[in-house]
Amino acid sequence: MDEKKAREDHSQEEPKPKKHKKLRYIIIGVIILLLLLLLHCCGQKESYGDVLLGEIDWDEPANLQEQVDAAVAAGMTNVFMNTNIYLEDGISKANLLIQKAETNPAPIQVDLIRDDTGETLYESEVIPVGHKIEEGKLLQDLDPGEYGCTAVFSILNPDDASEVINQVKLNVTVTVKN
């Protein structure tokens, strides 16, 4: 009898209907697709039009850095000027101390412009390589006080000094005592 009951119990444990197996495979398939989609989305680089997140793959990064450094050095311009110009009175010469370093291959021309009015206070002549201007007369008389200015260094084409190829700006203060 035990044997008969065991057969009955065994027969009651029939395999699940095919519907449940199909549903299980569909759920597993959907989960796999979602995982693949998630992996694909996470693996993609963030994009803003042509701008992509990440670093450029380059076989020789040291060589690239050397090329960048050489380009920067070739385009570098050293400027020197007194940034605290002092005048005893509004008509005396200003201690400009403009130096055109020999390391810069191009001549320069310097304008000193008043920040509050936009007026040009000083215009230098073309300064060749290795030359300097220690003092200069301003284009207008100034009342006593302190004036915020911008010195505009125009880097000129070595073959044609009338052509400006770049500009460098420097903040300058002009102080007139009397």
Side-chain angles (χ1 to χ4, degrees), residues 12-30:
Q12 289 175 1
E13 292 180 18
E14 291 180 13
K16 294 182 181 176
K18 287 186 177 185
K19 271 187 175 180
H20 291 298
K21 276 188 176 183
K22 278 186 179 181
L23 185 59
R24 186 179 348 171
Y25 289 132
I26 290 172
I27 291 173
I28 291 172
V30 168

Side-chain angles (χ1 to χ4, degrees), residues 111-124:
D111 293 328
L112 184 62
I113 300 169
R114 237 175 104 167
D115 292 338
D116 60 347
T117 63
E119 295 173 280
T120 301
L121 297 180
Y122 177 79
E123 290 179 356
S124 78

Side-chain angles (χ1 to χ4, degrees), residues 78-81 97-101 108 130-133 153:
N78 296 321
V79 296
F80 181 85
M81 179 177 185
L97 304 175
I98 300 169
Q99 175 68 49
K100 173 62 182 98
I108 63 170
H131 289 73
K132 64 182 178 179
I133 297 174
F153 288 75

